[in-house]
């Protein structure tokens, strides 16, 4: 990806986190990126197109990190631990969580944004399902709940933690990871 384009997308993600999809302006992005509005418009014709792509870029980066973390280890529980580490060790965790929450809130009002939210949920569900089913095959897991309910519980826990981090409620990267790992250990029936 073009370095300038990535700089603009990173700036737009910051603006999304700070102001939200509806209140963010091209001027805000240009200022954050250190560019003129004209330079910005060379890459993106509209504010909405820029913010949609910034969200997709931010999420694609996260998914790449999830996928990388999840394939580098053989054991199902270890893969899950690495996935949680990739999720919670993001150096821009608060910004990413705020961007996600802002985008979800905007998607509740704007149909054209809903596919992005669905894509993230589907990707997360796919990765969790792969890990859980691997853990069932290897007998690392003996879920306390039906498998679909266990996976669904972990998906909504991520959204809840993301909201808590974005809201500044005191949930840190460490407590986020601890909540995810502790809950998953119980729900999945992880065997030591």
């Amino acid at each position: 990806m073009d370095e300038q384009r990535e700089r603009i997308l990173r700036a737009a993600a910051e603006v999304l986190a700070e102001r939200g999809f509806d209140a963010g302006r091209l001027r805000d992005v240009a200022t954050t990126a250190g560019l003129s509005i004209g330079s910005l418009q060379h890459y993106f014709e509209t504010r909405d197109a820029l913010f949609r792509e910034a969200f997709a870029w931010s999420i694609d980066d996260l998914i790449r990190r999830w996928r990388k973390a999840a394939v580098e280890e053989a054991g199902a529980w270890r893969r899950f631990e690495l996935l949680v580490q990739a999720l919670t060790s993001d150096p821009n965790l608060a910004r990413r969580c705020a961007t996600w929450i802002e985008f979800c809130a905007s998607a509740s009002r704007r149909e054209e944004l809903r596919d992005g939210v669905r894509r993230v949920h589907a990707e997360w569900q796919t990765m969790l399902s792969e890990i859980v089913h691997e853990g069932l095959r290897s007998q690392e897991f003996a879920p306390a709940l039906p498998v679909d309910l266990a996976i669904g519980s972990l998906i909504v826990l991520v959204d809840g933690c993301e909201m808590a981090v974005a809201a500044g409620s005191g949930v840190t990267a460490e407590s986020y990871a601890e909540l995810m790992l502790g809950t998953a250990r119980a729900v999945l029936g992880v065997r030591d």
Side-chain angles (χ1 to χ4, degrees), residues 17 22 31 69 95 136 142 174:
D22 294 325
T31 300
R95 188 213 73 210
L136 291 170
E174 294 78 20

Side-chain angles (χ1 to χ4, degrees), residues 61-81:
D61 180 59
L62 180 61
I63 289 170
R64 273 191 298 280
R65 287 189 297 114
W66 288 347
R67 281 271 172 215
K68 183 179 177 190
V71 299
E72 292 181 350
E73 185 65 37
W77 179 247
R78 184 64 186 137
R79 284 179 65 201
F80 184 80
E81 288 177 320

Side-chain angles (χ1 to χ4, degrees), residues 33 35 72 83 106 113 120 123 129-130 132 134 141 149 163 167 172-173 182:
L35 298 170
E72 292 181 350
L83 193 58
S106 295
L113 302 177
V120 172
E123 186 70 26
S129 292
E130 290 169 359
V132 169
E134 178 186 324
F141 301 159
L149 188 55
M163 188 176 295
T172 63

Side-chain angles (χ1 to χ4, degrees), residues 90-108:
D90 185 338
N92 298 305
L93 180 64
R95 188 213 73 210
R96 193 205 72 234
C97 290
T99 301
W100 173 244
I101 298 308
E102 287 293 339
F103 206 82
C104 287
S106 295
S108 73

